[in-house]
Amino acid sequence: MGPDTTASLPNPVMSQAELLYQAQQRKDRQFRLFVGITWFVIFLFLIFLFSGPIKIDREFVANNLVFVAGGIGETIRISLLSIILAIILALLAALARLSTVPPIYALSTFYVSLIRGTPLYLQIFFFFLALPQLGIILPGLWAGVIALGLNYGAYMSEIFRAGLSSVGKGQREAAMALGMTPIQTMRRVVLPQALRFAIPPIGNDFIAMTKDSALVAATGFVHELMWRATKVGRAQFHNLEALIMAAIFYWMMTLILSYIQSIIEVRLSRGER
Amino acid sequence: MSSIVRVSNLDKYFGRLHVLKEVSIDVAPREVVCIIGRSGSGKSTLLRCINFLEEPSFGTIEVDGLKVEASGRGKEHRQLVHDVRLKTGMVFQEFNLFPHMSVLENVIEGPVTVKGMDRSKAIELAEQNLDSVGLLFKKDEYPNRLSGGQKQRVAIARALTMEPRVMLFDEPTSALDPELIGEVLNVMKKVAKDGMTMLVVTHEMGFAREVADRVLVMADGEIVEDEKPEKLFDKPKDPRTKALIDRYRTGGQ
């Protein structure tokens, strides 16, 4: 199957194709090598900057590293809870969008329209600051989770809608012909395929959400990564160090999450389509 | 002989389009009936009305003693439709295997989920049927690894594992490459030989001639001819039948 098996063949046509293939491979390898080298150079440059021209207070970093890093857990917690809420809302909204009952359809479109028509920043402040005026006081974490979950749910409903419509009519008919009820058809045939379709974009949204969860810091009630960084940074006039620390932590988190996502995607593509 | 499938005065409208016009058919147990006709003649719609994938507009469908009125509504009607679907297996032009399930999972899905059959018993039955379509060795593959002919044979095994009284085939070979048609037709012949009642919508005149007990010719939403194949193919009465058969002859069929 591989190109190596044909390389030894004396067939002149095959070897020409083989040469072209190898040239392409070489080009690809070269490209990746240069990209890698450039990354490395940028890194070296940054290390140089921060070791000389830009003054970094190492003592501040050492003293506050543990405090700032302590926000990672809270960031992950709020992101996880929010994504779970978002997935549930998105799925409900997408299913409601398929409904032929006008009020259910309307509820779904109204929700999506309202959330997508207003800034996330506003929505977060609404749950922290506006609701208490009505006597509704949510614990800090939950206010953040509800705001983020509602917001991402509205955007993600489109993902689920696309996933549901990616499952062909023939699949439903085959299930019905076997005697499945509409609920069985949805649960056994349509949803598993729709979810498989939706998992990669859900992963993207989850990564985006870990970063957007920083907005919750602005309310001052959730002590996640961003809140901790700004707190120590402002208090001791070391915003530069504090924000760089937080940036590195966010970056590491998204790198790890992207890696996990790529593994899941490879798994999913196996045995499919 | 009492019939196992009886369609009485069936009408079907798609909007203003009248696609089935008072169609009536009777099928005896173990009978193989082929339905031929040009595309748009209503033959697929007729087949799909029998297990209510299409809701007929007027008339009645009777399958193995279950009588369902086209105008039926409500819970009782839904239960009847469900029971009819349990008695009918269907094979589609586009196979419609479930891509997220292995071959074996595809075949046991109906018995386990719909009938609540014990998994091990369903597997035993499924393996028997996969064996009889010659694909037991593919049971752990996913559908995307199968050829079109293999997919269709799995689809037949899937329908048979529900142990239906009647099998409905909706152009089972029309989506296949010519060299793959034979293997599917052979499996269908075997199913017919085992005594299954079959309704087959097809363009395969050779199959109709060789296997069918009766051939129905549809045109413009009506059955214009209902004959034994040898009679129909040699001396078609209706000019539309003649045109249809000639078209396939000259088409190299």
Side-chain angles (χ1 to χ4, degrees):
Chain A
M1 283 177 79
D4 318 335
T5 53
T6 56
S8 57
L9 289 178
N11 186 333
V13 181
M14 284 309 290
S15 62
Q16 196 178 15
E18 181 60 26
L19 281 174
L20 278 170
Y21 178 76
Q22 280 179 351
Q24 185 61 44
Q25 287 263 302
R26 235 187 343 264
K27 245 177 152 178
D28 287 353
R29 263 200 307 273
Q30 242 170 29
F31 181 80
R32 277 196 300 266
L33 183 70
F34 277 120
V35 170
I37 289 171
T38 313
W39 269 64
F40 187 67
V41 169
I42 297 172
F43 263 124
L44 284 183
F45 180 67
L46 283 176
I47 288 171
F48 161 74
L49 274 184
F50 287 114
S51 60
I54 298 178
K55 269 239 166 344
I56 288 278
D57 187 336
R58 281 156 207 253
E59 202 183 330
F60 171 84
V61 173
N63 288 342
N64 294 290
L65 189 69
V66 175
F67 178 76
V68 175
I72 292 177
E74 196 68 358
T75 291
I76 290 177
R77 192 148 76 111
I78 191 169
S79 302
L80 267 179
L81 290 171
S82 306
I83 200 82
I84 291 169
L85 178 65
I87 287 172
I88 295 169
L89 288 172
L91 193 55
L92 288 176
L95 288 171
R97 189 74 189 257
L98 294 175
S99 172
T100 50
V101 183
I104 294 179
Y105 181 90
L107 219 62
S108 167
T109 47
F110 186 86
Y111 158 60
V112 173
S113 171
L114 176 67
I115 295 291
R116 288 170 56 146
T118 51
L120 172 58
Y121 202 56
L122 184 152
Q123 291 161 18
I124 288 170
F125 272 90
F126 184 84
F127 282 95
F128 279 99
L129 302 179
L131 281 187
Q133 201 177 323
L134 302 171
I136 303 166
I137 300 168
L138 297 164
L141 177 74
W142 287 107
V145 166
I146 293 171
L148 280 170
L150 272 173
N151 183 275
Y152 271 71
Y155 284 94
M156 280 168 65
S157 72
E158 287 300 314
I159 297 173
F160 282 101
R161 203 155 74 95
L164 288 170
S165 59
S166 78
V167 181
K169 187 167 151 246
Q171 291 289 309
R172 281 167 236 255
E173 288 188 344
M176 278 157 64
L178 285 173
M180 288 194 198
T181 61
I183 290 172
Q184 285 170 335
T185 303
M186 191 47 88
R187 192 168 55 84
R188 300 286 309 168
V189 175
V190 179
L191 273 186
Q193 294 182 60
L195 288 179
R196 223 164 268 225
F197 178 95
I199 279 173
I202 290 174
N204 289 338
D205 272 7
F206 182 61
I207 291 167
M209 183 180 268
T210 55
K211 290 169 290 159
D212 276 352
S213 70
L215 289 173
V216 174
T219 64
F221 291 106
V222 184
H223 301 173
E224 43 67 81
L225 205 45
M226 186 67 187
W227 181 85
R228 285 171 186 246
T230 46
K231 181 181 159 72
V232 294
R234 277 189 192 141
Q236 302 173 38
F237 298 108
H238 277 302
N239 284 310
L240 178 69
E241 290 88 347
L243 288 177
I244 286 173
M245 275 195 277
I248 290 173
F249 288 134
Y250 276 117
W251 195 9
M252 290 300 139
M253 279 163 67
T254 55
L255 282 179
I256 292 168
L257 289 172
S258 302
Y259 179 68
I260 295 172
Q261 194 197 10
S262 68
I263 293 174
I264 294 173
E265 274 182 44
V266 169
R267 283 260 174 91
L268 281 177
S269 64
R270 223 175 275 162
E272 267 302 296
R273 246 144 263 278
Chain B
M1 210 190 318
S2 70
S3 51
I4 189 163
V5 176
R6 171 172 287 161
V7 174
S8 317
N9 301 320
L10 204 71
D11 276 285
K12 171 70 184 173
Y13 291 86
F14 285 122
R16 286 195 191 134
L17 205 64
H18 199 179
V19 285
L20 292 178
K21 299 168 185 163
E22 297 218 10
V23 173
S24 298
I25 54 175
D26 270 290
V27 181
R30 306 172 78 86
E31 204 176 12
V32 176
V33 176
C34 283
I35 306 171
I36 62 174
R38 310 179 63 148
S39 54
S41 60
K43 55 193 192 311
S44 279
T45 306
L46 171 61
L47 197 75
R48 290 160 57 83
C49 279
I50 293 173
N51 66 352
F52 286 81
L53 285 187
E54 299 293 352
E55 282 280 342
S57 308
F58 304 102
T60 52
I61 305 273
E62 213 176 319
V63 179
D64 196 28
L66 290 170
K67 196 168 177 178
V68 195
E69 299 285 341
S71 49
R73 291 284 175 273
K75 211 174 165 193
E76 210 173 312
H77 176 73
R78 281 202 296 276
Q79 183 63 43
L80 270 174
V81 168
H82 178 257
D83 292 344
V84 164
R85 286 178 180 160
L86 287 185
K87 288 178 183 288
T88 52
M90 188 159 204
V91 175
F92 299 86
Q93 182 177 344
E94 302 288 344
F95 332 126
N96 298 347
L97 293 180
F98 304 132
H100 58 301
M101 298 182 191
S102 72
V103 164
L104 186 68
E105 285 166 342
N106 261 281
V107 179
I108 65 171
E109 180 61 26
V112 171
T113 301
V114 178
K115 287 181 165 177
M117 188 186 280
D118 190 51
R119 205 179 151 86
S120 57
K121 195 170 166 240
I123 289 175
E124 196 181 315
L125 197 60
E127 288 183 343
Q128 268 172 30
N129 284 322
L130 281 172
D131 194 29
S132 82
V133 301
L135 288 173
L136 186 54
F137 71 109
K138 292 278 189 192
K139 68 178 173 139
D140 295 320
E141 291 283 10
Y142 279 83
N144 67 335
R145 307 263 305 180
L146 305 181
S147 72
Q150 290 172 334
K151 282 181 194 167
Q152 196 59 298
R153 284 149 65 197
V154 171
I156 293 172
R158 175 172 73 176
L160 288 174
T161 307
M162 287 298 280
E163 302 182 293
R165 298 295 315 274
V166 179
M167 283 284 283
L168 309 173
F169 294 85
D170 188 6
E171 301 201 26
T173 57
S174 297
L176 295 175
D177 291 337
E179 72 270 21
L180 301 176
I181 291 175
E183 61 184 81
V184 172
L185 292 181
N186 283 336
V187 166
M188 288 167 64
K189 282 176 199 166
K190 202 164 151 192
V191 176
K193 205 178 265 173
D194 290 343
M196 178 61 73
T197 309
M198 291 167 52
L199 274 93
V200 186
V201 169
T202 186
H203 293 290
E204 293 294 322
M205 299 297 162
F207 177 84
R209 184 171 201 140
E210 187 186 341
V211 183
D213 297 303
R214 255 163 69 207
V215 178
L216 308 182
V217 182
M218 286 197 73
D220 307 318
E222 289 174 304
I223 293 174
V224 295
E225 209 143 356
D226 178 351
E227 269 302 347
K228 294 209 177 308
E230 51 275 22
K231 230 171 156 183
L232 181 101
F233 287 110
D234 294 338
K235 309 187 207 112
K237 275 182 288 186
D238 194 286
R240 285 172 288 188
T241 313
K242 196 168 179 310
L244 187 72
I245 293 168
D246 285 345
R247 206 157 62 90
Y248 280 101
R249 280 220 182 98
T250 54
Q253 292 274 329

